[in-house]
Amino acid sequence: MAFIRKKQQEQQLQLYSKERFSLLLLNLEEYYFEQHRANHILHKGSHHERKIRGSLKICSKSAIFEPDAISQPIIKIPLRDCIKIGKHGENGANRHFTKAKSGSISLIFSQVYFIKEHNVVAPYKIERGKMEYVFELDVPGKVEDVVETLLQLHRASCLDKLGDQTAMITAILQSRLARTSFDKNRFQNISEKLHMECKAEMVTPLVTNPGHVCITDTNLYFQPLNGYPKPVVQITLQDVRRIYKRRHGLMPLGLEVFCTEDDLCSDIYLKFYEPQDRDDLYFYIATYLEHHVAEHTAESYMLQWQRGHLSNYQYLLHLNNLADRSCNDLSQYPVFPWIIHDYSSSELDLSNPGTFRDLSKPVGALNKERLERLLTRYQEMPEPKFMYGSHYSSPGYVLFYLVRIAPEYMLCLQNGRFDNADRMFNSIAETWKNCLDGATDFKELIPEFYGDDVSFLVNSLKLDLGKRQGGQMVDDVELPPWASSPEDFLQKSKDALESNYVSEHLHEWIDLIFGYKQKGSGAVGAHNVFHPLTYEGGVDLNSIQDPDEKVAMLTQILEFGQTPKQLFVTPHPRRITPKFKSLSQTSSYNASMADSPGEESFEDLTEESKTLAWNNITKLQLHEHYKIHKEAVTGITVSRNGSSVFTTSQDSTLKMFSKESKMLQRSISFSNMALSSCLLLPGDATVITSSWDNNVYFYSIAFGRRQDTLMGHDDAVSKICWHDNRLYSASWDSTVKVWSGVPAEMPGTKRHHFDLLAELEHDVSVDTISLNPASTLLVSGTKEGTVNIWDLTTATLMHQIPCHSGIVCDTAFSPDSRHVLSTGADGCLNVIDVQTGMLISSMTSDEPQRCFVWDGNSVLSGSQSGELLVWDLLGAKISERIQGHTGAVTCIWMNEQCSSIITGGEDRQIIFWKLQY
């Protein structure tokens, strides 16, 4: 199969080079430049001095030493962790030990990785603390050049912005390429005629290797700049059967060459620096092929498949190839469908339609209950809408399936670690169930599930992949009862793929993945809408000027997954199959799905999209601002469709602002006292506001009038919350009250009726409250700096934490309800553990943080000065300061998908912010 054959090719090259070193030891987007034979000197200058023989490899972000003895680990020193780089003995304590002309390089650093000790693939070992390693080069005359190179790369690694790092390393790489050219002595024949030479990179999964491409009248050559893993790769043009232009990194820069007709694994994948170079090389090879090989289009393959000349498996391979899917690019790895629905029976009945997955639906639409929740979210979502927050194919998903045969790839992708043992690919049935029921799991399969090689199902390498919660070690993949062995599982999977049922319905899945239901109204009707950034043309990288933004955008898209290139814009014809008894697949399938268990608790469909948003929160940009009040804005709430924005202010008014027309539509005043907060009831028919006049007001949007007044407190009402027909009101009268609310049947025609269910007593004024997502817990903040956590099921106080030296400005639970964050007039951000009430983290700023939103890891807060601050709680630092209001930021609103942010301030403005992906 694709990945397995690719690995076998790489192992053959590895044998050629006789090295344990692999480009997978590098970070993503890192280059390997050069190597030098050297000794690693231990205890230099002492009586215990010892030399370890090996090779020192200079890479764009690290220095790697590979000992000759496999018992010794490979050493990787990240350049960003280097404190000092230089000749050993220069300005150092060991100077008197060195000779007049030192052949040694000294690296002083704070962190080092140890990899593949005894040649065992395992998570990297990390050692931290100030250390010095000395490497003695075989050629002393090269020391100065190597030190200079390391210093230059170190400067690049230490630049603050990722875009600047990338630009500097690219400049170093291009300088090296410009100083070299293809070695013509590598031609197979002295009579070969050179047609073209240019710079390019050879692409393999997760890594690229720069060098020079050369094409003659008989051969295509690639010569790596570093000579790794062999001095030159050569392909005879006469052997070439297919070539494809590829998108690489969303740009039209890739070219893939195949010397086989039906294999998914190519012989070389090249990425060029200029589209013209790619196109010129493609034209030359295509012209050569015109005289030797017939060209195939999607339509020509379709006809062969329809008439039975291609199997279902072969046809899907060809469609993947034509749609830019390549086993060399894990962000665009070939995608194959789940076929079987039954992973619990002892026998697999391929004559029963209930055995099969409904191929007319994407994975996300297979569970009716889950789909209903996804559609509800979709309908409430502002444009651009999408139904699924994660994709059906991504590098993480590919390696989830292949970790047993590609552990080094997983370690490369995950910074030297395997995934949590319980999240591994442990069981076929378990994985299928999660794809049916999981809130954010919509992944399809890969070609290996329908191939001949079982190695991805078996832990033949005896990898230590961790221990599950039940105590069992992760080993072979657990197979369904109907499979007697891994070989039997693959054979039955292949039989299922080629079965009559699948042959009759495969065109429906092709419509979803490669066809007319991939985009537009067809996708909406088929419940097949993914994040807009996953589609070809979803973003124009050339239009993004900021290099940091461009790098972050590209990284996010490549990690998130990409939708295949659209091959068909009309419904795909079904296969011509032998006539047999008609099976009522629809009714039996729908009946079986009706019994599918739903989830007890549903996490937001856009978890992946939330991550995308929060990862880019530092690039928040001011989009529009409007001054609509006469005093400070105190509250913001927005209609579900995002079109109407409601705000309250100390000027005593409730305003209704149209986001579409950018016009103020209504201004309502209930008394001459300040309003402190507002919220919309479900259905968007009623706005509730709290007031300093001790009241809570209900305003009917449809009827344009005050619908009701709740006179529930003896002092100003500071904050209100609503959930499941319950109103929670906080007041300066030292109470939080819980009311049972019966909403009006027709807005404006009937008054609300409220019963007081509970009264949560405090010692002093309560300034803010917040509910956890399930509304079982409430957190309150007081005038004197105390944070209180309440159990609403019993109306009892769980914890009282005095953690601020002044007013608590804002509080909120983390999405998982495990932590509470509070901000105060003292400038502190405090994180409290809900279960224990322990203050587990405290960060300070030089001014009060008046309001915030957070995702459990990062915080976006509004400061007294008017800036928005992005806090990295795990890194305990302020990541970004963003200019916004001219006075204090007093309130902040973020939608459920984290895609829209609005702030209000003392400057009387509301500001609409834009997330830059």
Side-chain angles (χ1 to χ4, degrees):
M1 282 313 307
F3 204 99
I4 298 168
R5 229 194 104 192
K6 174 58 63 180
K7 266 189 66 67
Q8 288 169 347
Q9 285 182 355
E10 289 173 0
Q11 284 163 0
Q12 287 168 2
L13 292 174
Q14 203 83 353
L15 289 172
Y16 180 95
S17 61
K18 297 180 181 177
E19 289 180 324
R20 286 183 292 157
F21 172 76
S22 157
L23 294 178
L24 292 167
L25 301 184
L26 278 59
N27 293 351
L28 296 176
E29 304 297 321
E30 183 176 7
Y31 297 109
Y32 165 35
F33 285 141
E34 62 191 50
Q35 77 160 352
H36 303 274
R37 292 295 293 166
N39 293 315
H40 176 203
I41 312 296
L42 302 175
H43 314 296
K44 183 161 179 74
S46 75
H47 296 297
H48 304 289
E49 180 172 312
R50 186 161 66 93
K51 296 183 178 182
I52 298 176
R53 189 80 178 131
S55 297
L56 180 65
K57 300 168 194 302
I58 310 302
C59 306
S60 57
K61 297 180 182 179
S62 60
I64 296 176
F65 182 75
E66 179 193 16
D68 292 344
I70 65 168
S71 60
Q72 296 289 331
I74 294 172
I75 297 166
K76 178 178 178 181
I77 304 168
L79 294 177
R80 69 174 182 275
D81 295 325
C82 286
I83 300 163
K84 186 175 180 182
I85 298 169
K87 285 185 181 181
H88 182 67
E90 282 193 348
N91 303 318
N94 294 324
R95 189 172 182 179
H96 58 281
F97 287 117
T98 62
K99 298 177 182 177
K101 187 172 183 181
S102 171
S104 301
I105 297 169
S106 165
L107 298 179
I108 300 175
F109 50 86
S110 59
Q111 181 168 270
V112 62
Y113 294 89
F114 298 107
I115 306 167
K116 293 176 80 170
E117 189 172 4
H118 295 288
N119 211 21
V120 173
V121 178
Y124 302 170
K125 295 177 182 176
I126 306 174
E127 189 174 319
R128 296 184 175 93
K130 188 174 179 181
M131 292 164 272
E132 179 182 18
Y133 278 12
V134 177
F135 301 99
E136 181 183 71
L137 301 192
D138 282 10
V139 183
K142 290 187 176 180
V143 169
E144 285 194 15
D145 287 344
V146 173
V147 168
E148 185 56 43
T149 298
L150 287 170
L151 288 171
Q152 189 181 29
L153 293 169
H154 177 254
R155 285 195 295 274
S157 293
C158 292
L159 292 172
D160 290 336
K161 295 185 175 180
L162 191 59
D164 293 340
Q165 289 181 30
T166 303
M168 185 170 175
I169 289 170
T170 300
I172 294 169
L173 170 63
Q174 290 301 323
S175 173
R176 284 173 167 255
L177 286 169
R179 295 197 304 268
T180 57
S181 61
F182 186 85
D183 180 5
K184 309 301 188 295
N185 292 322
R186 295 288 179 180
F187 283 173
Q188 292 289 301
N189 193 304
I190 57 172
S191 62
E192 283 184 66
K193 294 179 181 176
L194 174 66
H195 281 278
M196 177 184 171
E197 181 184 345
C198 63
K199 298 176 288 186
E201 296 176 12
M202 189 168 75
V203 178
T204 52
L206 298 182
V207 293
T208 61
N209 200 9
H212 296 275
V213 169
C214 186
I215 190 164
T216 70
D217 54 347
T218 54
N219 289 292
L220 171 67
Y221 297 96
F222 176 75
Q223 185 173 32
L225 183 66
N226 49 35
Y228 176 86
K230 56 192 290 190
V232 71
V233 177
Q234 176 252 329
I235 291 172
T236 304
L237 292 182
Q238 199 171 343
D239 294 338
V240 175
R241 289 293 171 270
R242 295 173 290 141
I243 54 169
Y244 298 96
K245 290 182 179 180
R246 298 289 192 215
R247 278 181 301 159
H248 189 275
L250 304 186
M251 302 290 282
L253 298 171
L255 183 72
E256 196 159 21
V257 180
F258 293 77
C259 293
T260 57
E261 186 53 52
D262 296 322
D263 205 327
L264 194 60
C265 183
S266 68
D267 291 82
I268 193 167
Y269 185 138
L270 296 169
K271 172 209 162 186
F272 296 81
Y273 297 110
E274 299 295 336
Q276 191 61 52
D277 287 341
R278 190 277 305 266
D279 292 345
D280 289 346
L281 194 70
Y282 176 88
F283 177 77
Y284 183 82
I285 300 176
T287 304
Y288 181 93
L289 291 182
E290 278 178 6
H291 306 294
H292 300 83
V293 181
E295 184 183 1
H296 288 293
T297 61
E299 289 74 19
S300 68
Y301 284 130
M302 180 206 293
L303 187 61
Q304 291 182 54
W305 170 74
Q306 266 195 294
R307 299 195 174 278
H309 297 294
L310 286 178
S311 66
N312 292 337
Y313 173 79
Q314 289 171 319
Y315 185 45
L316 290 176
L317 284 188
H318 289 307
L319 292 184
N320 271 284
N321 257 319
L322 291 166
D324 270 347
R325 312 304 283 187
S326 167
C327 66
N328 282 299
D329 184 352
L330 297 190
S331 69
Q332 298 188 92
Y333 200 78
V335 56
F336 269 58
W338 285 96
I339 292 294
I340 298 168
H341 179 270
D342 177 8
Y343 292 101
S344 58
S345 300
S346 56
E347 297 291 332
L348 188 67
D349 182 3
L350 296 182
S351 66
N352 177 10
T355 297
F356 298 93
R357 166 255 183 107
D358 185 346
L359 288 164
S360 69
K361 298 176 181 177
V363 169
L366 291 175
N367 182 328
K368 187 179 178 183
E369 292 180 9
R370 177 176 67 177
L371 178 62
E372 287 174 357
R373 290 191 291 264
L374 292 171
L375 288 176
T376 300
R377 304 277 182 170
Y378 174 75
Q379 286 151 9
E380 295 165 354
M381 191 183 293
E383 294 292 343
K385 294 171 177 278
F386 54 92
M387 294 176 189
Y388 308 114
S390 64
H391 206 256
Y392 50 76
S393 176
S394 71
Y397 289 161
V398 173
L399 294 177
F400 166 82
Y401 290 128
L402 298 177
V403 64
R404 288 166 180 81
I405 58 163
E408 290 182 84
Y409 292 84
M410 177 69 86
L411 293 173
C412 177
L413 187 69
Q414 300 202 149
N415 299 314
R417 299 186 302 271
F418 289 130
D419 206 348
N420 179 282
D422 286 291
R423 291 198 296 268
M424 285 279 190
F425 179 34
N426 292 305
S427 156
I428 306 285
E430 197 178 283
T431 301
W432 169 244
K433 184 179 185 303
N434 202 49
C435 289
L436 281 183
D437 300 341
T440 59
D441 192 349
F442 314 110
K443 60 178 171 284
E444 292 279 9
L445 294 181
I446 55 175
E448 281 76 359
F449 278 82
Y450 303 102
D452 299 313
D453 196 320
V454 301
S455 57
F456 77 102
L457 298 170
V458 181
N459 187 16
S460 57
L461 298 176
K462 301 303 176 187
L463 299 166
D464 182 356
L465 297 171
K467 185 181 290 187
R468 301 191 68 183
Q469 284 186 350
Q472 68 271 39
M473 297 297 293
V474 175
D475 199 27
D476 297 348
V477 177
E478 183 184 331
L479 302 174
W482 47 257
S484 60
S485 66
E487 290 79 6
D488 187 45
F489 171 76
L490 288 191
Q491 185 57 55
K492 285 175 177 169
S493 296
K494 287 190 286 186
D495 292 344
L497 180 60
E498 304 301 335
S499 67
N500 277 323
Y501 177 89
V502 174
S503 292
E504 285 203 323
H505 294 275
L506 187 58
H507 65 283
E508 297 171 330
W509 186 82
I510 292 169
D511 283 336
L512 296 169
I513 306 301
F514 304 107
Y516 83 107
K517 291 183 179 179
Q518 187 201 83
K519 295 179 183 177
S521 58
V524 175
H527 307 135
N528 192 40
V529 183
F530 293 86
H531 196 284
L533 293 179
T534 68
Y535 294 92
E536 184 177 21
V539 61
D540 179 8
L541 283 181
N542 288 324
S543 68
I544 302 174
Q545 301 300 317
D546 185 286
D548 262 4
E549 188 183 331
K550 185 178 287 190
V551 170
M553 169 77 77
L554 182 57
T555 302
Q556 287 292 331
I557 293 170
L558 296 184
E559 290 178 0
F560 194 76
Q562 296 178 69
T563 301
K565 181 191 292 183
Q566 190 174 25
L567 300 178
F568 309 103
V569 293
T570 56
H572 192 289
R574 64 190 297 169
R575 194 173 195 186
I576 302 166
T577 54
K579 298 293 178 186
F580 62 99
K581 185 179 177 181
S582 177
L583 295 170
S584 178
Q585 67 273 4
T586 307
S587 58
S588 66
Y589 180 79
N590 288 341
S592 71
M593 284 311 297
D595 299 326
S596 292
E599 290 183 309
E600 290 180 357
S601 64
F602 179 68
E603 295 179 12
D604 198 286
L605 82 152
T606 54
E607 287 305 317
E608 296 283 351
S609 119
K610 286 182 180 180
T611 303
L612 192 67
W614 277 101
N615 284 348
N616 288 277
I617 203 77
T618 55
K619 297 192 288 293
L620 203 62
Q621 289 189 354
L622 193 152
H623 182 49
E624 297 169 336
H625 57 96
Y626 303 94
K627 189 173 284 188
I628 59 173
H629 284 284
K630 295 179 180 177
E631 298 291 341
V633 183
T634 57
I636 302 170
T637 187
V638 181
S639 60
R640 283 283 181 170
N641 62 10
S643 60
S644 298
V645 179
F646 298 87
T647 57
T648 50
S649 168
Q650 288 182 5
D651 66 8
S652 80
T653 63
L654 166 69
K655 307 275 190 183
M656 179 177 172
F657 182 83
S658 169
K659 194 174 178 185
E660 271 117 15
S661 67
K662 304 182 183 355
M663 299 283 288
L664 187 64
Q665 293 184 316
R666 298 185 197 177
S667 180
I668 308 102
S669 186
F670 303 110
S671 74
N672 61 357
M673 298 285 280
L675 298 179
S676 56
S677 68
C678 60
L679 58 84
L680 266 166
L681 289 189
D684 287 355
T686 303
V687 183
I688 314 180
T689 67
S690 55
S691 174
W692 283 7
D693 68 3
N694 311 354
N695 297 330
V696 177
Y697 295 100
F698 294 75
Y699 174 78
S700 168
I701 299 169
F703 289 82
R705 65 169 183 254
R706 183 170 65 187
Q707 189 174 326
D708 206 348
T709 303
L710 174 65
M711 295 178 281
H713 287 278
D714 299 324
D715 205 338
V717 182
S718 54
K719 184 79 179 286
I720 50 174
C721 299
W722 178 277
H723 185 265
D724 200 17
N725 290 337
R726 291 193 177 185
L727 174 69
Y728 305 81
S729 57
S731 171
W732 294 355
D733 67 7
S734 307
T735 66
V736 173
K737 293 183 178 180
V738 184
W739 310 85
S740 171
V742 181
E745 293 173 5
M746 291 289 287
T749 63
K750 178 181 175 183
R751 294 169 68 85
H752 291 74
H753 174 71
F754 289 96
D755 291 322
L756 182 63
L757 296 180
E759 190 167 326
L760 311 179
E761 294 280 356
H762 295 69
D763 298 329
V764 292
S765 304
V766 183
D767 282 87
T768 184
I769 55 171
S770 183
L771 298 170
N772 74 329
S775 295
T776 54
L777 302 173
L778 179 143
V779 58
S780 58
T782 69
K783 180 176 77 172
E784 294 185 352
T786 301
V787 173
N788 305 276
I789 301 175
W790 300 82
D791 181 346
L792 292 176
T793 59
T794 57
T796 55
L797 180 66
M798 293 170 58
H799 305 292
Q800 190 172 52
I801 308 102
C803 55
H804 291 280
S805 58
I807 292 172
V808 179
C809 298
D810 202 1
T811 57
F813 286 89
S814 60
D816 60 9
S817 300
R818 292 180 181 176
H819 299 112
V820 160
L821 180 70
S822 63
T823 60
D826 56 3
C828 288
L829 263 77
N830 293 328
V831 180
I832 298 160
D833 179 75
V834 170
Q835 185 180 7
T836 62
M838 183 186 296
L839 179 64
I840 57 175
S841 172
S842 184
M843 297 172 62
T844 56
S845 61
D846 50 10
E847 59 181 339
Q849 300 302 307
R850 298 280 295 270
C851 54
F852 69 87
V853 287
W854 75 313
D855 71 341
N857 298 315
S858 302
V859 181
L860 179 67
S861 68
S863 67
Q864 185 69 30
S865 66
E867 287 183 319
L868 291 185
L869 270 57
V870 180
W871 303 72
D872 175 4
L873 292 179
L874 301 179
K877 63 182 180 182
I878 296 172
S879 305
E880 192 67 54
R881 293 176 178 270
I882 305 165
Q883 294 299 318
H885 294 267
T886 54
V889 186
T890 48
C891 51
I892 185 167
W893 174 89
M894 176 185 271
N895 68 342
E896 206 167 352
Q897 292 79 27
C898 306
S899 56
S900 181
I901 295 167
I902 307 172
T903 56
E906 281 185 351
D907 58 4
R908 300 169 284 172
Q909 293 193 105
I910 57 170
I911 294 180
F912 292 83
W913 298 87
K914 197 173 183 180
L915 271 173
Q916 298 295 313
Y917 289 104

